Amino acid sequence: MPPSPRIALFPGTFDPLTNGHLDLIRRAAGLFDRVVVSVLVNADKRPLFSVPERMHAIRASTTALPNVTVESFGGLLVAHARETGASVLVRGVRGVADFEYEWQMALMNRHLDSGIDTVFLMPSEQNTYVSSRLVREIAALGGRVDDLVPPAVADLIAARRRSDRERPA
Ligand code: PNS
């Protein structure tokens, strides 16, 4: 019997997807048979982009990676991992500032389901200072972000700026 495929789940808010996220998705796609990138549906927050917009941007940015699929989820991450058939969670760590939060979340997820482990990946050095929060802030203030995000996200941001300009004050 062939071994069952190694499925990894990369969960996140992805508001929006950055070059750092894409770097991690590429690395994960090289390590696992299948990678499911899953966007958190968080009703409490007011995101910049809707979940369908974020999923579209991730799909458009990963067309060259045939073992990557895109989903969304609400509720407990470990329950979603089980439904997906994933035994590994992928998370990125850019530096020590990320570590405390990620470490706590990884151990809590393993407490909730001992069959699920978290694998931390590091992006390349030029992506260590890139974050969705800073991209949103720079974009809102009219700065250039097209070298920080994949082209599909740059298009979304440009379209949002156009529609904001056209909206009557
Ligand atoms: O990109 P983010 O915002 O850092 O991703 C955070 C995410 C989606 C991984 C985290 O908020 C999450 O797992 N939410 C699902 C709710 C859950 O399972 N909470 C317990 C985890 S310890």
Side-chain angles (χ1 to χ4, degrees), residues 11-14 21 40 73 75-78 91 101-102 104-105 108-109 112:
T13 309
F14 303 110
H21 292 129
L40 174 70
F73 78 106
L76 267 186
L77 177 59
V78 289
R91 293 286 293 170
Y101 168 66
E102 293 297 335
Q104 189 182 16
M105 208 159 56
M108 183 56 80
N109 282 325
L112 294 172

Side-chain angles (χ1 to χ4, degrees), residues 18-119:
T18 66
N19 285 345
H21 292 129
L22 189 54
D23 179 329
L24 297 171
I25 294 170
R26 286 200 186 104
R27 288 174 198 279
L31 291 169
F32 297 97
D33 298 317
R34 260 188 69 204
V35 177
V36 179
V37 182
S38 206
V39 179
L40 174 70
V41 180
N42 189 342
D44 301 339
K45 286 203 176 168
R46 289 192 53 211
L48 179 61
F49 294 111
S50 68
V51 170
E53 283 174 320
R54 283 178 265 160
M55 291 173 73
H56 164 80
I58 302 169
R59 283 202 183 100
S61 307
T62 54
T63 49
L65 302 169
N67 61 338
V68 173
T69 54
V70 183
E71 293 185 8
S72 63
F73 78 106
L76 267 186
L77 177 59
V78 289
H80 179 52
R82 275 194 298 268
E83 284 158 16
T84 313
S87 55
V88 173
L89 301 173
V90 169
R91 293 286 293 170
V93 176
R94 289 164 297 190
V96 283
D98 283 340
F99 187 72
E100 178 92 30
Y101 168 66
E102 293 297 335
W103 177 75
Q104 189 182 16
M105 208 159 56
L107 290 180
M108 183 56 80
N109 282 325
R110 199 168 60 188
H111 166 79
L112 294 172
D113 187 329
S114 60
I116 295 177
D117 264 302
T118 301
V119 166

